[in-house]
Amino acid sequence: VYKRQHEIDIGQRFGEPARWPEPLLPLLLVNVGSGVSCLVVNKEGYTRVGGTALGGASFLGLARALTSATTYREALALAARGDSSEVDTLVEDIYGSTGCVDLGLPPSLTAASFGKLARQGNRAARDEDVCRALLEMVAQSCCVLARAHAAQWRCQERVFFAGGFLDENPLARATIANSLKSLGGKAHFLRHSDFLGALGATAHALDHVHAHKVTQIMNNPTEPGPPKDDGVHGSPTSLRPPRKTANLDR
């Protein structure tokens, strides 16, 4: 449950932990950093299936170009006080409340990001509203892309979001959660996603070392092998730790 926009603390991290989906795989991992990458994870491994250049760097770069914000946290603080409907064109602005009901569309759905600024005479906008619209534009575009890939791989209920853009950014997480829900999916956020890259690099390095050792043994079968694992002293290629023996003298 996310707070209303005026009550959100930009330092807030995550709410109550949720249960892991059952079954877990396949799942879609959406990494939102400078850009966005989408990866499908299944029992066989993972595959990058798409992405977009519209990510966290786009948000900060445009915020610097269009507002007084100079840092990421300044842009988030402005966005927390803003109202994107002041600059975005909503479905309600086009069809009216009655038309939205007839079409079955939410009135607050964004029809065109920054659409109201395209009208003649509407050139001035508050920095807060611009930053909020920028943040929602990035978050909503991630959702549309994620929903398309998740539908293809039939994992709409297992879409995981990670990346630096979402860290200490409850506004983006709330936008993603609500937008994906309206599209028929479910968003999950990883509490310690900062470590995903380091863990992946470590796992890849360990796999490479293990594969290199196996290749050496296969290419040199006549060379003396490692000491036999007698259950007391583990061999260099053994994947299990040495077995401890009891000290009967004590």
Side-chain angles (χ1 to χ4, degrees), residues 170-183:
L171 280 176
R173 294 197 300 271
T175 301
I176 287 173
N178 293 329
S179 297
L180 194 59
K181 182 179 179 180
S182 69
L183 294 172

Side-chain angles (χ1 to χ4, degrees), residues 86-103:
E86 293 294 323
V87 295
D88 289 346
T89 298
L90 308 181
V91 171
E92 185 179 25
D93 299 324
I94 300 174
Y95 298 107
S97 301
T98 304
C100 291
V101 174
D102 294 338
L103 294 171

Side-chain angles (χ1 to χ4, degrees), residues 134-166:
L134 285 172
L135 184 145
E136 293 187 1
M137 180 177 67
V138 171
Q140 289 172 356
S141 69
C142 290
C143 285
V144 172
L145 182 66
R147 172 62 176 81
H149 288 304
Q152 180 181 359
W153 292 89
R154 299 182 180 179
C155 56
Q156 294 96 317
E157 295 294 313
R158 300 182 298 278
V159 183
F160 288 78
F161 289 85
F165 179 65
L166 303 179

